[in-house]
Amino acid sequence: MGFACRFFCTLLALHILLSGCATNPVTGKRQLQLYTEREELTLDADLTPLQIAADHGSFNDPLLADYITSVGQRLIPFTHRPGLPYRFILTNDPIPNTTALPGGTLLITRGLLAQLQNEAQLAALLAHELAHINARDANARLVTHSPPPDSSSSIWDNLTAATGASLPARHTREQERLADTSALAYLTAAGYAPGALPDLLDLLARLGESPWATAHPLTPEHLAELRARIPTNAPAHFGEPEFRQATLILRSQKPALLTLAQAQTALRDKNPQRAKTLAEQTLRLLPNDYTALLTMANALNALGQIDESRYYARLATSVHPDAPGLLLTFAQSDITDQNYRAALTRLDAYAALLPRNTHIAFFQGLCHEALNQIPAAALAFTRFLRGPSGTPSQEDYARRRLATWSRERKIQ
């Protein structure tokens, strides 16, 4: 075991001793608690901007955002921790997913919302995620950051994937069972049809592989058990007219969102040509969609078509001028052109917007190194290594460069 690993384990053990155990508000049992509630709120504040940026920003529909919040607010009084500062945010990501952060922030992607059929299913989705937050399931594991896949031939690759977003926490089947028990109680108390919960889970299971399905394991036995627990005299409010009115625009985008989700998956799987083709199909349906334009720009970057990439990135800028992700797309183009000074300017601007994303410091270090600014490169690599994100090859590169420069006395 290396020094860094031993040091981390020592810190973790000390933190556990200091934090100790606490009573789970859902089960009433004592359990290990890695974070106090104050620390949970701090983590939430740190991670929420990173996750929103990774999800390509908030979805621009204020009325729909207010509607989702109103459904969530109807559930909150019946949760085990009604005093948390809950927030419900709809994001631009076309891939079906949710992110429940420990301080009460709940992000839902438009790709998931577009799959739902009525307000009761939306309430069931929120209730399930609220139950995880209330049970402090995120508290039982370290909240980490997700590095991009470590499969590139170049250390310069994967810049646009270096979002610092939180890893999807895979819940245990026991956590899922408890979350569904709480969600049924929340739904019933709020006047929604509790049968919407097994309907929701069945719908999401039929979507196939997705981040949500990965994080929330479901068995046929659990689904059957849930259905058997719905009382015959349970409330029957589904809210379908209200849901259809609030989600009219979003549901009209459903075919395009499915195609765009496939494009993003292809880009993640290192198939930029397929990503480009699928992004083109999406743009024929949604010509001014920011996420589609950004996906096309990133696919073209990966194909080495830099001028075309910049064209689509500029179009995306006209739709969402303040989006941090565009800075990474432009920086990737600059790096391909070996214009490291321009890339560094964009990376510095990104870091100013999202200072908690320490992964970006690795690419800042590379640019400084390319410009022979060794002390600045060393500072950037040091900042990167102190953060929670990064692939093994990047961490190894940063350590080797620091060791080499120290031996050569290029840094103090």
Side-chain angles (χ1 to χ4, degrees):
M1 182 182 293
F3 171 78
C5 186
R6 291 197 303 272
F7 181 68
F8 172 78
C9 291
T10 301
L11 285 180
L12 177 59
L14 178 61
H15 189 82
I16 290 171
L17 288 172
L18 291 175
S19 298
C21 293
T23 301
N24 185 307
V26 173
T27 65
K29 299 178 180 178
R30 300 283 289 177
Q31 71 176 37
L32 177 66
Q33 177 178 310
L34 292 181
Y35 299 105
T36 66
E37 184 168 298
R38 178 178 295 181
E39 289 170 328
E40 286 180 325
L41 295 174
T42 300
L43 274 172
D44 193 300
D46 288 346
L47 295 173
T48 295
L50 298 179
Q51 189 63 51
I52 292 175
D55 283 359
H56 313 298
S58 302
F59 186 60
N60 186 23
D61 188 333
L63 293 178
L64 181 55
D66 289 344
Y67 170 71
I68 294 170
T69 297
S70 71
V71 175
Q73 291 292 335
R74 184 169 172 173
L75 296 165
I76 288 172
F78 308 105
T79 64
H80 295 82
R81 302 168 70 190
L84 283 178
Y86 294 103
R87 289 192 298 162
F88 306 90
I89 302 172
L90 181 64
T91 67
N92 266 324
D93 198 334
I95 296 177
N97 199 17
T98 58
T99 304
L101 295 170
T105 300
L106 207 170
L107 278 66
I108 310 153
T109 68
R110 58 173 170 160
L112 181 53
L113 184 60
Q115 297 291 334
L116 306 187
Q117 299 166 337
N118 52 57
E119 185 176 298
Q121 287 186 357
L122 171 60
L125 177 68
L126 300 183
H128 182 93
E129 296 298 338
L130 286 170
H132 281 304
I133 294 172
N134 277 257
R136 313 186 85 157
D137 287 341
N139 195 300
R141 58 178 57 81
L142 285 172
V143 179
T144 184
H145 297 292
S146 173
D150 198 9
S151 59
S152 298
S153 58
S154 170
I155 56 173
W156 292 96
D157 288 347
N158 292 323
L159 169 58
T160 55
T163 61
S166 56
L167 281 166
R170 181 175 175 83
H171 300 292
T172 67
R173 289 181 178 177
E174 177 64 13
Q175 287 173 334
E176 287 298 288
R177 186 186 68 78
L178 290 173
D180 286 333
T181 297
S182 294
L184 285 177
Y186 301 165
L187 285 170
T188 304
Y192 285 110
L197 178 60
D199 289 346
L200 167 76
L201 297 178
D202 185 43
L203 182 154
L204 295 178
R206 286 187 276 108
L207 291 179
E209 184 180 351
S210 71
W212 200 93
T214 299
H216 301 266
L218 177 68
T219 64
E221 293 78 15
H222 177 60
L223 194 58
E225 177 194 345
L226 269 181
R227 291 196 187 282
R229 291 167 58 190
I230 306 301
T232 55
N233 61 345
H237 176 66
F238 285 92
E240 188 164 350
E242 301 94 323
F243 180 84
R244 294 185 67 83
Q245 180 179 357
T247 61
L248 180 62
I249 295 176
L250 181 65
R251 285 183 295 105
S252 71
Q253 299 177 351
K254 184 175 176 178
L257 292 178
L258 291 171
T259 303
L260 182 55
Q262 293 172 350
Q264 291 203 324
T265 299
L267 198 57
R268 182 197 65 201
D269 293 343
K270 307 295 182 183
N271 191 345
Q273 185 58 56
R274 174 167 169 75
K276 175 188 174 184
T277 300
L278 292 167
E280 286 173 337
Q281 294 175 17
T282 304
L283 288 169
R284 283 196 285 271
L285 297 171
L286 300 175
N288 295 315
D289 186 89
Y290 165 76
T291 307
L293 292 167
L294 183 66
T295 302
M296 174 65 93
N298 288 334
L300 291 166
N301 253 341
L303 291 168
Q305 300 173 17
I306 304 307
D307 290 340
E308 295 88 341
S309 173
R310 287 180 175 138
Y311 169 78
Y312 281 98
R314 284 193 291 271
L315 290 178
T317 302
S318 67
V319 176
H320 198 341
D322 300 323
L326 282 166
L327 291 166
L328 301 186
T329 299
F330 279 117
Q332 188 78 71
S333 298
D334 293 332
I335 287 167
T336 302
D337 279 347
Q338 298 185 2
N339 189 348
Y340 303 115
R341 197 172 301 279
L344 187 58
T345 298
R346 300 187 199 276
L347 293 175
D348 288 347
Y350 182 96
L353 291 172
L354 295 170
R356 295 292 181 179
N357 185 356
T358 55
H359 198 165
I360 294 303
F362 176 76
F363 296 96
Q364 291 173 300
L366 290 179
C367 288
H368 282 299
E369 182 183 3
L371 294 168
N372 200 32
Q373 299 169 352
I374 302 306
L379 287 173
F381 285 152
T382 300
R383 186 165 65 252
F384 162 70
L385 290 171
R386 287 174 178 167
S389 58
T391 67
S393 64
Q394 291 169 341
E395 292 174 357
D396 178 65
Y397 180 89
R399 290 191 182 96
R400 286 190 289 106
R401 299 310 287 150
L402 288 172
T404 298
W405 293 333
S406 181
R407 286 195 303 271
E408 296 174 351
R409 298 188 178 183
K410 291 186 176 181
I411 57 174
Q412 297 299 320

